[in-house]
Amino acid sequence: MAGYAVQLAGPHRFAQLARGHGVLYEPLPDDILALCETDEGYRVLFCGLLLNGRSARHIHALIDELLRSEWRAAHIFRPHLIVYHPKSIASPHMVERIGCRSILASSLPVHTPTSAFPTPSVPWRTIGPLNRMSHTMVEQNFERAFRKPVLKWRRKTLGLPERARGRHAPDRKLYAYSRYLVPTPKDWGEHIHVTGAWWLEEPDRRLPVELETFLSVGVPPVYVTLAGLPQRLAHDLACAAVGAARMLGKRVLFATAGRSVGSLRSPDILALDDVPLNQVLSRVDTIFHHGQAATTAAALRAGRPSAIYRGLRGRFWARRIHDFGAGPPPVDVKRLSVGEMTTLMRAMDTPFVRDNVRQLSSQIRDEGGIDDAVRVIDQLERVGR
């Protein structure tokens, strides 16, 4: 990257991806990432909600191991700059110990208070004069949830006092989402940059024969992911999607993520455990998904309408997309009937929605993304010399 020596540290599951691009990679335990994929874990790691008893002990044990692993990676590499996600609770303390610069990077507008909108973890579009306070309260709760293992680690491993001398705020903040979806608040400082999504451009790999055949024959299918849903809800959603698709003469491609769709298979239905989304986006009609930032951005970039399941992780982007007329409001999977799914599919087919998605797609494609992020890093490095 721009002439720098770079080391990535992240979950084991991404090691092969990084090394395939020739990037030094230090694998960290997968447990926290797996926890993030559950509602309980999300409440703790992103909403800062406190746990008690057995849950607290279990999560604290995972945090202990993660803190040790992150420090081991940083201590060996001795970075001049740490770019970190908010989930890396070790990073601000490692910055203090090493004495280096830091940049917070996130695909959600978190850990930066603003009056423009509340923190993404609350279920409301706005809470008026409490918008700014909501960001601060969630960040404080987040820190409080892990205070005990972090203070112990600071003292025993880093050799730092339990209480930091002052607050070690990052030198810059990078937000990897589109400013067209979330306009940059006027009360954010000049050290905060909204760059657009960061895309990893890779050559397409050959699709499985079954998937290639399905995509090549017939109308583009509706893509439905069942990831992140309990088995019962996943089955109910699959039934509603198939029923609606057959009423409208559509086909369905399921990414099951290990969930079963039972006896729903037929020539107009294909269910695969894993679907390479970036390769099939341009070949599907619409997308039903759980609202991760990367999936939301990729769907918009490809010009495909999205319907996002209502839940802790998806509601923020679902509201944003609905506000821009590029998709329906958050979808309540627990109460989704065939009739309601049919209505959703019809709504996503309207010229109004399709035109709005195409406009957002054009705007997103023009954003700097990684190039803008590298420019910020370069500027910070020049200031530090």
Side-chain angles (χ1 to χ4, degrees), residues 10-15 25 27-37 62 65-66 69:
H12 276 277
R13 68 176 73 173
F14 300 127
Y25 192 86
L28 304 175
D30 276 330
D31 306 280
I32 291 296
L33 183 59
L35 187 65
C36 292
E37 293 168 352
L62 299 181
E65 179 58 29
L66 182 62
S69 299

Side-chain angles (χ1 to χ4, degrees), residues 336-350:
L336 193 60
S337 65
V338 172
E340 290 164 335
M341 179 65 95
T342 304
T343 300
L344 284 172
M345 289 186 182
R346 282 180 173 146
M348 294 164 74
D349 275 340
T350 63

Side-chain angles (χ1 to χ4, degrees), residues 9 15 23 38 47 50 62-63 141 146 200 213 215 247 279 291 300 318 322 324 339 354:
V23 177
T38 69
C47 307
L50 300 176
L62 299 181
I63 293 297
N141 286 342
F146 307 114
L200 177 61
T213 301
L215 293 172
M247 288 183 64
Q279 282 186 245
L300 288 173
H322 181 58
F324 281 88
R354 297 276 179 179

Side-chain angles (χ1 to χ4, degrees), residues 82-102:
I82 295 179
V83 181
Y84 67 96
H85 188 275
K87 286 200 294 284
S88 175
I89 58 177
S91 286
H93 307 280
M94 296 190 303
V95 167
E96 180 185 355
R97 175 65 177 81
I98 295 171
C100 64
R101 294 190 162 218
S102 66

Side-chain angles (χ1 to χ4, degrees), residues 138-194:
V138 166
E139 185 172 359
Q140 289 174 345
N141 286 342
F142 178 86
E143 293 174 355
R144 192 178 298 120
F146 307 114
R147 179 172 295 168
K148 186 175 180 179
V150 167
L151 294 184
K152 177 182 174 182
W153 171 73
R154 279 178 60 90
R155 184 183 71 253
K156 290 191 172 182
T157 302
L158 300 187
L160 294 173
E162 287 193 353
R163 306 294 178 182
R165 297 185 181 93
R167 187 175 180 83
H168 288 265
D171 296 281
R172 300 288 186 274
K173 294 183 180 182
L174 297 175
Y175 288 108
Y177 56 75
S178 174
R179 64 182 181 275
Y180 296 104
L181 268 183
V182 185
T184 305
K186 295 180 180 179
D187 54 0
W188 278 7
E190 293 183 357
H191 68 294
I192 301 168
H193 305 267
V194 178

Side-chain angles (χ1 to χ4, degrees), residues 57-94:
R57 288 192 295 273
H58 172 64
I59 291 176
H60 284 180
L62 299 181
I63 293 297
D64 286 340
E65 179 58 29
L66 182 62
L67 292 171
R68 286 192 294 269
S69 299
E70 288 197 57
W71 174 239
R72 183 166 56 247
H75 182 64
I76 294 171
F77 191 66
R78 303 298 294 182
H80 295 287
L81 170 69
I82 295 179
V83 181
Y84 67 96
H85 188 275
K87 286 200 294 284
S88 175
I89 58 177
S91 286
H93 307 280
M94 296 190 303

